[in-house]
Amino acid sequence: MKKYIGNEDPVSHELETIEKRKLETPEAEPPMPTVPPYDPPVGLMNQFRRKWQEAGKPKYRNPVVAAVLQVVPGLGYVYMWRMAFAALTAFLFLLAYVILGLRILQYKPEVNARLATPVNPNPEPDLWNWSLLTPESITLLWVALALLAINLGFRTYHQARLNNLNLQVKSLAEIRKARGTFIQRVLTFNYLALIIFVFGILQVAKDSDFDLGRLISKLDNIKRYVGELLNPNWNALFTEKGIMFRARETVEISIIGTLAGAVVALLISFLAARNLMGRNPITNVAYYIVRIILSIQRSIPTLFLAIVFVVSVGVGPFPAVLALTIFSAGLMTKLFSEAIEAIDWGQVEAISAAGGGPVHVVLFAVIPQVLPYYISHILYSWEVNIHSASVLGLVGAGGIGQYVQDAINTYKYADIGMALFIVIVITMAIDFTSAYIRAKIL
Amino acid sequence: MSSGAIETGATQIEVRQLSKVYPNGLRALDNVNVDIKKGEFVAIIGSSGAGKSTFIRSINRLVQPTSGTIKINGEIVTGNDLRHLRRDVAMIFQQFNLVKRLTVLRNVLMGRLGYKNGLGLIYPIFNSKDVDLALASLQRLGIAEKAYIRADQLSGGQQQRVAIARALTQEPSIMLADEPVASLDPETSIVVLDILKRINREDGITTVVNLHQLDLAKEYADRVIGFKGGKLVFEGTPDQVTREVYEKVYR
Ligand SMILES: Nc1ncnc2c1ncn2[C@@H]1O[C@H](COP(=O)(O)OP(=O)(O)O)[C@@H](O)[C@H]1O
Ligand SMILES: [Mg+2]
């Protein structure tokens, strides 16, 4: 998006705030004079570094505060990893996160100057250079690891006690005893998660520039645009490559993307179901490989996928179909495998006790149990995909988003209002139909 | 399944020094030695957690024993040819374990899976012999008219009869039953146990039944085996189950 209406557009606002920061910063602290500003070569990695450095420096002047704010949400992610995978992967993740995160935050020109040589007096920052790791970072790394280890240790111990409880304890008194003393309860309580959560929220609000004042001061602007949107242009409906044409394209993209994703997910979901795979070392390895691939896949935003495909296969609905296929295959694999994990295992046992082989078990004990859920999940994915398909056009991947993109570029706000209206109608129609069918089959 | 002369007396299941320790360290079976003869109807009694299920599931390897051996028809059971073992050792369960969304007939046909090989391992096709066998089993249990009804539409007692029909369709020589009547009301329990007993007598199928109700065990079994804390603490005929035995097994 290059053009904006009105004198208050986001880009100029951003520039303004950056200017302000620049003005404020030198006053707050004496500048570091010795090192001339570093201007890195253009490149994705360097741009990231630049961004990190800019984000990190002015906000958190005190290195300890900076590091704590950096580590705490990190621990949150670690905690989620621990829930999703296992303690070991969580530890590795934490290590990577803290080292990389602290290194970036701790970047200081005067430290970086240590890398200077007579040949290269202005070295670019090398985040992987261990000699630049500051003592604060190392201390914090250990503190974070120790905290996590203590909490994990206590919780694991407590869990083991509770497990024994199920099998051996008979009386209420014993159950009370096994619950532990007050101190034990304090130690095993998941306070870490609570703190992480609170700090995480605080930082999220800070990072996303949450500012009610700014919202209120711009209320007039918002009113003006919304007013135009609410006055849709009905004539835009049936023009060539008009709204109806693009809307149909959106629906078609979502249908094909969902179906292709379902086929892929159908095959992979068996590999991603712990109860089927976890009983045998070989299949267990397959299970973990599939899970790791899935978690990587899920972390790629659909819009990003669409951009990649638009660049590689060209503009139009096809890149959107590819992006949705990958996205919904991941989503459905997760949902499908969860359905498999929830099956009544007795039916599986009965088939194998009758001499059935592994494929028989899948055919006769698993599929009949999960089929209605599969259909329901496919419909649900379709609902999600129709939402995504409307947006993907913004990056050139066809559908109604494409129409909106074109209309923005030509300032036709009333046409956008019309497109929005059609999107709402279609999405609601599909949501209602799908919800109705799902309620029927489950 | 030939209803000809049944040579009782020959040992069919020979259990030696069988122990099972679950991964959490719980010793569910402790050095168990039992012989079960061909055509016998054996009831296993014991309170909850005594190891009855673990014992019966070790026979068809739904549970992998930690040590000890089980011989069936003179051959040591290994984990290798499980499908062959299991089609000869049918099993019925407390929760019936029917595939609820399939029809009754389809469920009973599951008993033929053990005989499918080659391509049939990928997609089994049930031929007319299989279907005839399945229908005959249903007829024998008096529920042939339910053949095309979905299994979850039946009452508990009917579902257990379908499960028995499925087991019969395997043409097994041994029938294991893990608390087959624990989810049924008293009248239906009697119907189901009568059926098991009749099949045991008519076909000579060796039958091992877990029962926690002592009275039913005494009424139906040729022999009663008592478990307590994973150990075999009693073995004898139903008349030998006295007050003292009861105390020993259940206290
Ligand atoms: N999969 C398992 N893992 C751990 N312990 C188990 C498992 N299955 C059974 N047990 C334990 O083994 C003991 C014997 O169980 P079980 O054979 O089911 O007894 P019963 O059928 O006589 O009630 C019980 O204490 C039970 O908790
Ligand atoms: Mg049991």
Side-chain angles (χ1 to χ4, degrees):
Chain A
M1 274 165 268
K2 290 178 202 88
K3 293 168 188 167
Y4 286 91
I5 268 201
N7 41 11
E8 291 289 354
D9 66 52
V11 171
S12 69
H13 178 86
E14 217 164 74
L15 288 176
E16 239 174 68
T17 43
I18 289 173
E19 286 300 320
K20 262 190 223 154
R21 270 185 203 160
K22 273 187 192 154
L23 286 178
E24 284 161 7
T25 319
E27 283 165 17
E29 205 180 71
M32 298 104 177
T34 48
V35 181
Y38 162 69
D39 197 14
V42 185
L44 197 61
M45 230 17 238
N46 278 319
Q47 280 172 20
F48 270 127
R49 282 177 190 163
R50 192 74 180 282
K51 202 164 156 22
W52 273 99
Q53 290 155 15
E54 276 169 8
K57 269 190 293 178
K59 274 189 193 165
Y60 316 114
R61 198 135 292 281
N62 183 335
V64 176
V65 172
V68 167
L69 281 176
Q70 179 69 19
V71 168
V72 162
L75 288 176
Y77 303 139
V78 171
Y79 187 73
M80 291 191 292
W81 271 70
R82 196 181 104 68
M83 289 294 156
F85 300 98
L88 182 66
T89 48
F91 267 112
L92 296 178
F93 181 77
L94 177 81
L95 210 62
Y97 182 88
V98 170
I99 291 173
L100 193 61
L102 284 185
R103 282 298 302 119
I104 290 165
L105 269 186
Q106 293 285 305
Y107 167 77
K108 283 185 187 131
E110 71 269 25
V111 177
N112 204 52
R114 277 188 229 154
L115 288 180
T117 59
V119 186
N120 183 9
N122 286 326
E124 57 176 279
D126 180 359
L127 300 181
W128 299 105
N129 193 318
W130 295 95
S131 69
L132 297 185
L133 206 61
T134 56
E136 299 104 294
S137 324
I138 296 173
T139 315
L140 268 152
L141 175 66
W142 284 116
V143 169
L145 279 176
L147 257 179
L148 192 75
I150 290 168
N151 188 255
L152 281 180
F154 274 115
R155 294 180 67 74
T156 313
Y157 169 72
H158 190 62
Q159 199 53 51
R161 282 167 64 102
L162 290 180
N163 286 349
N164 282 341
L165 188 71
N166 296 339
L167 297 169
Q168 286 158 5
V169 172
K170 279 132 206 134
S171 74
L172 199 63
E174 275 178 287
I175 293 174
R176 277 210 195 94
K177 209 173 123 221
R179 248 184 100 215
T181 63
F182 176 72
I183 304 250
Q184 277 170 336
R185 285 216 298 282
V186 169
L187 287 174
T188 54
F189 176 67
N190 208 346
Y191 61 92
L192 195 55
L194 185 76
I195 296 171
I196 288 163
F197 183 73
V198 171
F199 273 86
I201 296 275
L202 285 180
Q203 180 162 11
V204 166
K206 210 168 166 175
D207 286 352
S208 55
D209 261 353
F210 188 79
D211 186 353
L212 270 182
R214 184 169 148 201
L215 178 69
I216 291 168
S217 67
K218 297 290 150 89
L219 223 48
D220 279 348
N221 259 348
I222 296 176
K223 261 190 220 153
R224 189 153 56 87
Y225 291 131
V226 170
E228 278 198 57
L229 290 179
L230 286 184
N231 188 13
N233 173 11
W234 294 87
N235 294 328
L237 274 185
F238 294 102
T239 54
E240 203 204 333
K241 303 237 165 177
I243 291 175
M244 287 322 275
F245 174 84
R246 291 298 191 188
R248 203 181 97 197
E249 209 169 62
T250 300
V251 174
E252 287 163 352
I253 290 170
S254 71
I255 290 177
I256 298 179
T258 309
L259 287 181
V263 171
V264 178
L266 187 73
L267 300 174
I268 303 179
S269 59
F270 294 102
L271 300 178
R274 177 153 226 172
N275 55 349
L276 295 186
M277 308 304 284
R279 279 154 209 265
N280 163 326
I282 299 169
T283 55
N284 207 13
V285 169
Y287 165 82
Y288 276 107
I289 292 175
V290 170
R291 279 276 147 153
I292 289 170
I293 293 175
L294 276 178
S295 67
I296 294 172
Q297 183 275 330
R298 266 205 299 281
S299 59
I300 306 175
T302 320
L303 204 60
F304 183 81
L305 285 176
I307 294 173
V308 169
F309 284 123
V310 166
V311 174
S312 47
V313 308
V315 245
F318 186 49
V321 170
L322 291 178
L324 285 190
T325 303
I326 292 183
F327 162 75
S328 50
L331 175 68
M332 279 185 267
T333 305
K334 186 173 157 57
L335 295 172
F336 287 2
S337 58
E338 272 165 13
I340 296 177
E341 281 168 1
I343 61 173
D344 165 18
W345 193 251
Q347 300 180 29
V348 171
E349 276 190 341
I351 299 292
S352 30
V359 182
H360 295 159
V361 166
V362 168
L363 281 180
F364 298 114
V366 181
I367 289 182
Q369 289 194 61
V370 296
L371 201 60
Y373 294 96
Y374 273 30
I375 295 171
S376 160
H377 292 325
I378 291 173
L379 288 169
Y380 169 72
S381 300
W382 188 34
E383 287 175 38
V384 177
N385 278 347
I386 191 88
H387 289 259
S388 308
S390 322
V391 175
L392 292 186
L394 291 175
V395 297
I400 196 111
Q402 181 90 56
Y403 183 87
V404 172
Q405 174 67 68
D406 296 344
I408 288 176
N409 286 341
T410 47
Y411 314 120
K412 293 181 185 152
Y413 284 87
D415 292 7
I416 298 178
M418 192 65 235
L420 203 63
F421 179 70
I422 294 294
V423 167
I424 292 172
V425 169
I426 292 176
T427 311
M428 276 176 67
I430 288 176
D431 281 3
F432 277 125
T433 328
S434 149
Y436 178 78
I437 301 176
R438 290 200 282 140
K440 278 267 149 155
I441 55 175
L442 283 187
Chain B
M1 239 59 0
S2 60
S3 45
I6 302 147
E7 21 159 348
T8 36
T11 301
Q12 190 167 25
I13 307 175
E14 186 186 309
V15 179
R16 287 292 173 269
Q17 293 166 353
L18 187 70
S19 294
K20 170 69 188 178
V21 182
Y22 280 110
N24 59 9
L26 197 127
R27 186 171 282 272
L29 285 181
D30 194 358
N31 196 17
V32 175
N33 294 288
V34 198
D35 284 332
I36 294 172
K37 297 196 192 65
K38 216 164 213 159
E40 240 185 335
F41 192 113
V42 177
I44 297 175
I45 58 170
S47 47
S48 171
K52 307 183 296 293
S53 297
T54 307
F55 174 74
I56 215 166
R57 291 158 71 88
S58 299
I59 298 178
N60 68 350
R61 291 277 156 144
L62 282 179
V63 164
Q64 185 72 30
T66 313
S67 63
T69 53
I70 299 176
K71 274 190 195 171
I72 292 181
N73 298 327
E75 275 180 50
I76 293 186
V77 174
T78 62
N80 292 338
D81 197 0
L82 277 184
R83 295 186 62 226
H84 200 89
L85 162 77
R86 286 173 178 174
R87 77 178 190 211
D88 193 42
V89 183
M91 185 166 200
I92 62 176
F93 303 83
Q94 175 179 350
Q95 298 301 336
F96 328 132
N97 291 352
L98 299 183
V99 182
K100 300 216 172 59
R101 284 186 223 275
L102 297 184
T103 62
V104 165
L105 179 61
R106 200 103 182 118
N107 265 290
V108 177
L109 282 171
M110 296 295 115
R112 300 306 296 169
L113 288 177
Y115 294 88
K116 302 294 170 194
N117 284 309
L119 268 186
L121 274 176
I122 305 298
Y123 195 80
I125 293 168
F126 298 106
N127 56 30
S128 54
K129 182 191 167 239
D130 295 334
V131 177
D132 288 350
L133 258 173
L135 286 173
S137 307
L138 281 174
Q139 206 150 30
R140 209 166 155 204
L141 289 158
I143 40 172
E145 76 277 7
K146 308 275 188 209
Y148 293 98
I149 290 177
R150 252 170 68 148
D152 55 4
Q153 315 252 303
L154 303 184
S155 70
Q158 289 169 330
Q159 288 196 32
Q160 193 60 295
R161 282 196 269 167
V162 175
I164 296 173
R166 174 172 68 187
L168 263 187
T169 311
Q170 283 177 239
E171 304 187 297
S173 67
I174 298 170
M175 173 94 81
L176 308 174
D178 191 359
E179 308 268 5
V181 297
S183 319
L184 303 175
D185 59 53
E187 289 105 277
T188 327
S189 298
I190 295 200
V191 172
V192 166
L193 283 173
D194 279 342
I195 290 172
L196 284 177
K197 184 81 183 176
R198 207 182 74 218
I199 291 169
N200 165 258
R201 285 289 172 262
E202 289 175 3
D203 298 3
I205 296 179
T206 312
T207 307
V208 185
V209 183
N210 282 350
L211 281 173
H212 64 263
Q213 305 99 317
L214 194 58
D215 52 333
L216 290 178
K218 281 174 82 167
E219 191 180 335
Y220 285 92
D222 300 330
R223 200 147 62 93
V224 177
I225 293 175
F227 274 95
K228 185 182 179 180
K231 289 198 171 67
L232 193 148
V233 293
F234 171 78
E235 199 179 346
T237 58
D239 348 310
Q240 288 170 333
V241 182
T242 54
R243 183 89 221 151
E244 293 88 79
V245 171
Y246 176 85
E247 296 282 327
K248 197 159 125 199
V249 174
Y250 287 92
R251 283 294 136 77

